[in-house]
Amino acid sequence: MTSEHSGRVVVVTGAAGGIGGRYVASLTAAGALVVAADVAPLAERGTELAEKATAAGPGRAVFVTADITSDDDWAATVDTARREFGRIDALVNNAAIYQGLGGKRHLTALANDEWDRVLTVNVRGTWQAIKAVTPLMRESGGGRIVNISSTVARMGAPGFAHYVASKAAVDGLTRAAARELGPDAITVNAVAPGLVSDEASRTLNTDDYIAMAARGRALGREMAPDDLVGAVLWLAGPSSGFVTGQTVVVDGGGVFT
Ligand SMILES: NC(=O)c1ccc[n+]([C@@H]2O[C@H](COP(=O)([O-])OP(=O)(O)OC[C@H]3O[C@@H](n4cnc5c(N)ncnc54)[C@H](O)[C@@H]3O)[C@@H](O)[C@H]2O)c1
């Protein structure tokens, strides 16, 4: 069976994480050719995941070690995409410091270097990714960029002000990039997930907090990584071609602004 993703080349960052891994598996299952990128300490996990996705087919995934804040790593990632698959049709800008926050703390307890690290990875790294893939997307006449934001940017959830600020910046970057890359037929959108019941969220939140978030949703249940797949694949695929500069909230009806 063919899908609109068959044969399309998609770069996914943070690919060895809980949610990134679902994007890789879903895109490969839809026939895409995926460059799955994550940091060196997760290379074994990322390689296994890419091999498993390739074995399941019909698409193919290759893992690359890349820190999204390194222009050199980006050059190598883009080279891999060009060498293996010839082009880049879409980028899923999923990597971020989230589980790596380690815990929640009042904003007065955050150190300047922690603030800088989160903003550098989550915002500068997202921009570096966009910069890196743009030339190859231009060469093939356009592309799709999907940034991953968060509903915390709207809610101002307490306990990680640097992370909240970083995701609000991702929303702004999405709009600026949509305007600047529109003339190149590159669309830029964001998906803002609500609280996902994954390993990362469980390290940062109590079970009670996760249950409370579920009760606050119109759909009244916990959210799984799979709940994000439809929106991300749509924005990464051909059929979303006239949608750009938007942040699509996927949270079961928790926030409506
Ligand atoms: N889990 C949630 O509830 C939730 C909610 C809203 C938004 N999000 C966002 O969804 C995305 C995935 O979340 P997750 O739960 O899988 O988080 P996670 O922390 O488990 O995964 C993040 C991934 O990004 C990678 N990463 C971190 N720094 C990197 C760097 N410098 N270079 C390359 N890769 C790097 C990590 O290695 C990891 O694989 C993130 O952007 C997160 O902010 C998550």
Side-chain angles (χ1 to χ4, degrees):
M1 198 178 82
T2 59
S3 85
E4 67 166 359
H5 294 281
S6 285
R8 280 172 65 83
V9 182
V10 186
V11 176
V12 178
T13 67
I19 298 177
R22 280 309 305 151
Y23 300 148
V24 174
S26 305
L27 283 160
T28 312
L33 306 169
V34 180
V35 178
D38 212 313
V39 290
L42 295 185
E44 200 179 317
R45 185 162 150 186
T47 304
E48 267 172 30
L49 203 137
E51 286 172 356
K52 208 170 144 195
T54 300
R60 188 153 72 88
V62 293
F63 179 79
V64 294
T65 294
D67 183 321
I68 61 165
T69 64
S70 160
D71 286 339
D72 288 346
D73 286 1
W74 270 115
T77 302
V78 170
D79 273 356
T80 300
R82 190 195 287 276
R83 195 180 56 246
E84 294 277 333
F85 304 129
R87 59 182 197 282
I88 296 175
D89 296 304
L91 163 70
V92 180
N93 238 335
N94 168 71
I97 296 181
Y98 175 57
Q99 183 162 11
L101 295 169
K104 289 191 175 177
R105 271 162 313 135
H106 193 264
L107 66 88
T108 56
L110 297 174
N112 291 355
D113 60 348
E114 290 176 280
W115 180 279
D116 289 348
R117 189 171 144 262
V118 169
L119 272 287
T120 299
V121 173
N122 295 10
V123 187
R124 199 190 82 187
T126 298
W127 161 68
Q128 286 175 269
I130 294 171
K131 258 198 319 178
V133 301
T134 293
L136 205 47
M137 284 187 178
R138 277 189 184 129
E139 269 180 37
S140 55
R144 305 265 177 273
I145 293 172
V146 186
N147 298 326
I148 303 299
S149 176
S150 171
T151 52
V152 298
R154 288 150 201 251
M155 296 163 63
F160 41 23
H162 47 353
Y163 177 78
V164 172
S166 77
K167 292 301 184 177
V170 166
D171 287 342
L173 171 62
T174 299
R175 295 181 196 126
R179 294 249 184 236
E180 294 198 22
L181 299 179
D184 297 306
I186 298 170
T187 64
V188 189
N189 292 288
V191 168
L195 184 67
V196 179
S197 297
D198 65 354
E199 183 193 319
S201 293
R202 291 197 188 282
T203 63
L204 296 169
N205 301 284
T206 62
D207 287 349
D208 281 352
Y209 185 87
I210 292 172
M212 186 187 71
R215 282 195 303 274
R217 293 182 176 133
L219 295 179
R221 67 161 172 84
E222 289 189 20
M223 179 169 166
D226 273 346
D227 289 316
L228 289 161
V229 167
V232 169
L233 264 63
W234 175 59
L235 291 172
S239 60
S240 59
F242 207 59
V243 179
T244 195
Q246 306 301 316
T247 296
V248 176
V249 173
V250 180
D251 75 340
V255 297
F256 287 136
T257 57

